[in-house]
Amino acid sequence: MSRTLAIAGVLALAACGETPSEPDEQASEPVAMPEPQQDAAEPTAQAGMIPARFRGDWGMNAADCEGGAAAKGLLEVGEDTLTFYESVGTLGDSATVGPESVQGLFAFEGEGMEWTREMRLEMRGDGDVLVRRELGEGATSGEFEYRRCTGRT
């Protein structure tokens, strides 16, 4: 009797699973997986290049844009450099670029010293305001705001 119940139980369980009589045609076709897409807002910049829209002279105040000894807050953004009053930082091999920002690791030289610092530059407003932030260990906290110098390259 127990043997009959055991066999009946096994048959009942087997009846629960369906086995298709014909193979499913859709299951045998390969499924196309979408290509991974790079976030359009954060593409990698050309190796060692700062985008053109960031380049030019930027001052923390009007006197910086006039040049001379009073221009201690002048920031000159070049193709691959950030030039300050007493130091120059050269961008490494790559940068992360968004519609209004660029971030990368810069190798600095100035006043007989060398160091590296990750920097983030952000455009604000209509592109006439540049905000610079230092990132990482030893970074200066806060933001530094610059205005595009007119009449200078």
Side-chain angles (χ1 to χ4, degrees), residues 23-114:
D24 186 4
E25 290 180 23
Q26 288 182 341
S28 63
E29 292 180 17
V31 177
M33 297 300 288
E35 291 290 321
Q37 294 182 351
Q38 189 174 23
D39 182 2
E42 294 295 329
T44 301
Q46 207 173 28
M49 300 287 286
I50 297 172
R53 69 182 175 273
F54 291 89
R55 297 179 199 160
D57 293 344
W58 301 84
M60 295 182 96
N61 59 53
D64 294 333
C65 293
E66 294 172 9
K72 293 185 179 183
L74 180 65
L75 169 59
E76 298 174 35
V77 179
E79 188 174 275
D80 64 349
T81 58
L82 299 179
T83 303
F84 296 90
Y85 184 68
E86 295 181 333
S87 63
V88 176
T90 303
L91 182 61
D93 290 337
S94 66
T96 303
V97 179
E100 302 297 326
S101 66
V102 60
Q103 182 172 322
L105 186 64
F106 290 82
F108 280 92
E109 292 183 21
E111 298 183 315
M113 299 175 60
E114 294 181 357

